[in-house]
C-alpha cells in the first residue's frame, strides 16, 4: 500500500478510469471526481469490479469551488491528476466559449483549491496538439509550441499549460512550498482494459478512428470514412502515434513518482507516445486481424486540420520517467475490439 491519496478529476472518463485502475492496483488510495458530462457511473462500477474495491467517487464539477472544497476537506489529497475537460476538437470549433470556460475555469479553480489545502503536486493531461506544426513530424519537448493551435480545444490545452507553468513559477504557492507540475503530452490513445470491462464509450458518432472502426465492426455504423488517402505518406493515409490506454495510464504512475520527487517551483512537460508512426490503413489491417473480418471503408475528403504525420520523440519519458510502452498495435486493436464486442452499447446496457 502506497501511503498517498490521489485526486483524479475526470476519473470516470476514458483515460481517467484506466488510470484509476492502475493507481488502485499499485496501492494508491484514489478519489475520483467527475461531473459525468462525458462519462457514466458504469465506468466507476467497472473500476470497482476490476480492482475489487469500492471506489471513492464524487459527482461534481471542477469549476465549482465549494464542491472542490468539500472533496479536499473530506480527503487529505497528496496529488492531483487533472483529466477533467471537454476534448472534442470539432465541437470546440462550434462551441469555443463552452470549451474555454470549462477547460480553463476547471484548472484555475482546481489550482485555487489545491493552494488553499496545501496540495502542491499536479499531473496534467496535455496533448500533442500543443505542438502541431506542418513542418515538423517528430515532436520533442523542445519543439517550439505552436502559437495558434488548430482548434479552440487545442488552444485550451496550450493556455492551461501556460497557466500551470506561470503558477508553478510565480509566488502564489510559495507559502505552501511551491507548485510542482508535470504536463503529460499524450499522442493518440486507443485500446481498452484487457478485462474487456472498461473502454472508450463516446457519445453519438465517434470522432476518432478506433471507436469508429469498432462501431463499424459491431454493426452500429455502415462503413468507415477515411479522411483522405492522397497524403504524401507511404500508403497515402496520415501517420499517427497510437499508444495503448493502459500504457498511457501507467505513464501517469511514472509521472506521479516523478512529481513526488520534486520540490519548490517546478514545471516539466513530457511526451507520452509509443514513438512509432502508424497509418490509417495499418490500424484498419490490425483491427481486421482482431475482428476476423474486413472493415468496410470509403475514402472521402480530407478532414480540415489533419496533418499528414506526427509522432512523439519518447527519449525524455524514458530518461526522466523510466517509461516505455509495452503494448503493440495488435494489443491496442484486440483490446478495443474485446471491449466493443462485449459492450456494443458501451456502459449503457
Ligand atoms: P473523457 O471525455 O473520456 O474524460 C474527461 C472526463 O472529464 C469526462 O468523464 C467528463 O465527464 C469529465 N469532465 C469534463 N468537464 C468536467 C468538469 N468541469 N468537472 C468534472 N468533470 C468534468 O476524455 P479522455 O479521452 O479520457 O481525456 C482525458 C483528458 O486527456 C482530457 O483533458 C483530454 O483533453 C486529454 N487528452 C485526451 C486525448 C485523447 O485522444 N483521448 C489526447 C490528448 C489529451
Ligand atoms: N480518421 C479517419 N476517419 C475517421 C476518424 C479518423 O480517417 O472516421 C483518421 C484521421 O484523418 C487521422 C487518424 O484517423 O488521420 C486519427 O484521427 P483521430 O481523430 O483518431 O485522432 P487525431 O490524430 O486527429 O486527434 C488526436 C486527438 C486529439 C488531439 C490530436 C492532436 O484525438 O485530441 O490528436 O494531438 F488534439
Amino acid at each position: 500500500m502506497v501511503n498517498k491519496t490521489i485526486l483524479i478529476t475526470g476519473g470516470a472518463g476514458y483515460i481517467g478510469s484506466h488510470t484509476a485502475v492502475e493507481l488502485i492496483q499499485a496501492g494508491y488510495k484514489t478519489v475520483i471526481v467527475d461531473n459525468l458530462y462525458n462519462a457514466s457511473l458504469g465506468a466507476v462500477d467497472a473500476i470497482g469490479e476490476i480492482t475489487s474495491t469500492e471506489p471513492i467517487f464524487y459527482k461534481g464539477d471542477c469549476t465549482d469551488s465549494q464542491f472542490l472544497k468539500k472533496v479536499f476537506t473530506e480527503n487529505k489529497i497528496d496529488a492531483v491528476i487533472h483529466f477533467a475537460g471537454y476534448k472534442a476538437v470539432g465541437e470546440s470549433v462550434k462551441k469555443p466559449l463552452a470549451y474555454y470556460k470549462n477547460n480553463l475555469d476547471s484548472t484555475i479553480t482546481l489550482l485555487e483549491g489545491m493552494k488553499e489545502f496545501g496540495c502542491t503536486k499536479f499531473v496534467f493531461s496535455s496533448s500533442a496538439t500543443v505542438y502541431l506544426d506542418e513542418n515538423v513530424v517528430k515532436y520533442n519537448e523542445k519543439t517550439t509550441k505552436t502559437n495558434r493551435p488548430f482548434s479552440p480545444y487545442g488552444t485550451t490545452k496550450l493556455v492551461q499549460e501556460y497557466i500551470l507553468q506561470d503558477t508553478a513559477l510565480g509566488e502564489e504557492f510559495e507559502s505552501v512550498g511551491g507548485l510542482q507540475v508535470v504536463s503529460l503530452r499524450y499522442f493518440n490513445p486507443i485500446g481498452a482494459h484487457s478485462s474487456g470491462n472498461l473502454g472508450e464509450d463516446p457519445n453519438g458518432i465517434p470522432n476518432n478512428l478506433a471507436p469508429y472502426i469498432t462501431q463499424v465492426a459491431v454493426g452500429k455504423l455502415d462503413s468507415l470514412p477515411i479522411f483522405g488517402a492522397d497524403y504524401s505518406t507511404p500508403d497515402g493515409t496520415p501517420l499517427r502515434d497510437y499508444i495503448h490506454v493502459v500504457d498511457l495510464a501507467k505513464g501517469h504512475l511514472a509521472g506521479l513518482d516523478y512529481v513526488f520527487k520534486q520540490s519548490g517551483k517546478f514545471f516539466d512537460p513530457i511526451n507520452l507516445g509509443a514513438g512509432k508512426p502508424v497509418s490509417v490503413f495499418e490500424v484498419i489491417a490490425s483491427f481486421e486481424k482482431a475482428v476476423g473480418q474486413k472493415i468496410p471503408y470509403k475514402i472521402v475528403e480530407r478532414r480540415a486540420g489533419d496533418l499528414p504525420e506526427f509522432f512523439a520523440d519518447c527519449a525524455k519519458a524514458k530518461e526522466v520517467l523510466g517509461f516505455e510502452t509495452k503494448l503493440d498495435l495488435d494489443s491496442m486493436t484486440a483490446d478495443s475490439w474485446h471491449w466493443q464486442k462485449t459492450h456494443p452499447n458501451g456502459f449503457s446496457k
Side-chain angles (χ1 to χ4, degrees), residues 29-82:
K29 185 175 166 196
T30 61
V31 174
I32 297 170
V33 159
D34 203 298
N35 64 3
L36 301 183
Y37 170 83
N38 193 35
S40 67
L41 277 180
V44 180
D45 293 341
I47 295 167
E49 277 160 33
I50 293 167
T51 58
S52 307
T53 61
E54 179 105 21
I56 301 171
F57 173 69
Y58 289 82
K59 181 175 179 217
D61 202 294
C62 292
T63 63
D64 178 347
S65 57
Q66 289 310 312
F67 164 69
L68 288 181
K69 198 169 189 156
K70 176 177 158 69
V71 173
F72 277 103
T73 304
E74 292 179 2
N75 304 276
K76 201 203 146 301
I77 304 293
D78 296 295
V80 174
I81 310 183
H82 183 38

Side-chain angles (χ1 to χ4, degrees), residues 14-15 34-35 37-39 61-62 83 87 102 126 153 157:
Y14 174 46
I15 306 170
D34 203 298
N35 64 3
Y37 170 83
N38 193 35
D61 202 294
C62 292
F83 294 100
K87 65 156 184 180
N102 188 53
S126 190
Y153 163 73
K157 286 292 163 198

Side-chain angles (χ1 to χ4, degrees), residues 75-135:
N75 304 276
K76 201 203 146 301
I77 304 293
D78 296 295
V80 174
I81 310 183
H82 183 38
F83 294 100
Y86 296 162
K87 65 156 184 180
V89 174
E91 184 185 58
S92 79
V93 176
K94 294 180 195 144
K95 298 181 181 172
L97 265 188
Y99 271 69
Y100 287 120
K101 184 167 169 53
N102 188 53
N103 291 5
L104 304 189
D105 201 355
S106 293
T107 299
I108 294 168
T109 309
L110 190 56
L111 283 168
E112 287 171 343
M114 289 174 67
K115 186 178 152 241
E116 186 179 343
F117 287 85
C119 178
T120 71
K121 310 287 177 189
F122 198 115
V123 177
F124 180 57
S125 289
S126 190
S127 164
T129 196
V130 302
Y131 300 115
L132 298 191
D133 179 336
E134 293 157 48
N135 304 309

